[in-house]
């Protein structure tokens, strides 16, 4: 059974006057969408309002997103100045993002760099990773390392070099290593909580205001396979 975030159980990984970083759960949506479900951005606002007894509307800027079935680090800006600078950092790829994924097939190499051309299908909200450039495709690059072998699965640490739609999911599917629970990209069954085993594990970036180096790590979900790591 999935546990959705609320202001009482919110997992805050870093918090100061300018930014707040939280650990997203399976099923949380970062920003409002057509489902009408309460987004994580609203929950973080409620948390700030209550904690600091703030009158009126709480300012919160959405910097980036994670797919609904994934978990891990999400950064929000608490001031407009921080939002502008964070947007620049993320846009210029001045952040170091590390993901963990659990896949069912063993990749051919223990570590490798994957380069594909990703084409998005807006209609069914998927992306396909092609080995050669095709019309309307974008270059996608990541590197992975197998860091643990489990009974039936392999745990990969992934560093992203580009930020494309469903990039990790599509690129791993392209090498026949779909992520556990990811029906959209070729895994054979869903996870009980409806999530997939993809976790935004680490984020390194320069604080937009203090200019200090920030290193954030998100604990993995309290779920059997994740806990085996």
């Amino acid at each position: 059974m999935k546990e959705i975030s609320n202001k009482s159980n919110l997992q805050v990984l870093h918090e100061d006057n300018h930014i707040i970083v939280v650990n997203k759960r399976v099923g949380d949506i970062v920003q409002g969408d057509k489902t009408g479900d309460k987004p994580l951005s609203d929950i973080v606002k409620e948390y700030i309002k209550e904690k600091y007894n703030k009158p009126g509307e709480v300012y919160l800027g959405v910097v980036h997103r994670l797919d609904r079935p994934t978990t891990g680090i999400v950064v929000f800006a608490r001031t407009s100045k921080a939002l502008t600078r964070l947007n620049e950092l993320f846009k210029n790829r001045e952040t170091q993002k590390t993901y963990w994924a659990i896949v069912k097939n063993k990749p051919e190499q223990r570590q490798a760099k994957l380069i594909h051309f990703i084409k998005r299908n807006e209609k069914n909200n998927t992306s396909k990773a092609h080995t050669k450039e095709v019309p309307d495709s974008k270059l996608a690059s990541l590197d992975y390392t197998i860091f643990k072998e489990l009974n039936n699965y392999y745990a990969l640490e992934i560093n992203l070099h580009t930020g494309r739609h469903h990039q990790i999911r599509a690129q791993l599917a392209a090498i026949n290593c779909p992520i556990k629970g990811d029906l959209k990209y070729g895994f054979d069954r869903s996870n009980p909580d409806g999530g997939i085993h993809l976790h935004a594990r680490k984020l390194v970036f320069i604080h937009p205001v203090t200019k200090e180096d920030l290193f954030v790590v998100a604990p993995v979900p309290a779920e059997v396979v994740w806990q085996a790591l």
Side-chain angles (χ1 to χ4, degrees):
M1 183 62 193
K2 65 182 170 199
E3 182 188 19
I4 306 281
S5 292
N6 59 56
K7 68 180 180 193
S8 308
N9 69 10
L10 193 66
Q11 297 179 345
V12 179
L13 304 172
H14 173 88
E15 183 180 358
D16 60 44
N17 291 335
H18 308 283
I19 63 174
I20 182 165
V21 186
V22 301
N23 192 6
K24 176 189 164 322
R25 291 178 163 89
V26 164
D28 289 341
I29 44 168
V30 175
Q31 218 175 3
D33 67 2
K34 59 180 184 289
T35 62
D37 295 344
K38 183 187 278 192
L40 198 52
S41 53
D42 281 4
I43 292 158
V44 175
K45 281 184 189 178
E46 288 174 1
Y47 163 86
I48 292 168
K49 190 175 178 70
E50 188 174 281
K51 181 171 179 180
Y52 299 102
N53 199 15
K54 279 189 171 288
E57 191 66 22
V58 171
Y59 179 88
L60 195 77
V62 177
V63 179
H64 65 123
R65 293 165 191 77
L66 283 184
D67 299 338
R68 188 162 194 171
T70 63
T71 55
I73 295 169
V74 180
V75 181
F76 295 100
R78 291 191 56 194
T79 62
S80 54
K81 179 162 83 167
L83 179 62
T84 304
R85 292 180 181 176
L86 282 167
N87 282 340
E88 284 299 304
L89 279 178
F90 276 76
K91 191 176 120 193
N92 299 331
R93 313 232 27 101
E94 292 166 24
T95 57
Q96 205 181 314
K97 295 178 184 174
T98 304
Y99 288 77
W100 281 3
I102 292 175
V103 301
K104 77 164 176 181
N105 297 323
K106 188 175 185 176
E108 282 180 19
Q109 294 164 283
R110 188 151 199 90
Q111 56 187 125
K113 183 175 184 178
L114 301 183
I115 295 175
H116 290 95
F117 293 90
I118 286 207
K119 183 168 181 173
R120 184 172 181 174
N121 182 334
E122 299 276 357
K123 211 175 269 182
N124 61 12
N125 192 35
T126 57
S127 285
K128 187 167 172 56
H130 298 267
T131 50
K132 295 189 171 72
E133 194 168 359
V134 298
D136 302 319
S137 64
K138 290 177 175 172
L139 180 73
S141 166
L142 62 77
D143 62 66
Y144 74 82
T145 305
I146 301 172
F147 72 92
K148 186 145 190 185
E149 296 192 16
L150 304 167
N151 287 343
N152 304 305
Y153 304 107
Y154 301 88
L156 312 182
E157 182 162 282
I158 295 152
N159 290 302
L160 274 182
H161 309 141
T162 53
R164 307 301 181 203
H165 176 257
H166 289 185
Q167 179 180 332
I168 296 173
R169 299 166 69 179
Q171 286 197 272
L172 291 181
I175 62 162
N176 195 30
C177 296
I179 294 168
K180 184 178 181 304
D182 199 355
L183 292 177
K184 242 180 188 179
Y185 288 92
F187 199 80
D188 50 9
R189 64 188 184 279
S190 57
N191 289 335
D193 62 4
I196 63 173
H197 278 71
L198 178 62
H199 181 67
R201 172 68 174 172
K202 281 182 251 176
L203 183 65
V204 182
F205 62 104
I206 294 166
H207 191 289
V209 181
T210 66
K211 302 302 179 193
E212 295 170 328
D213 285 337
L214 265 187
F215 181 91
V216 185
V217 177
V220 292
E223 180 273 341
V224 180
V225 181
W226 279 125
Q227 290 301 312
L229 303 181

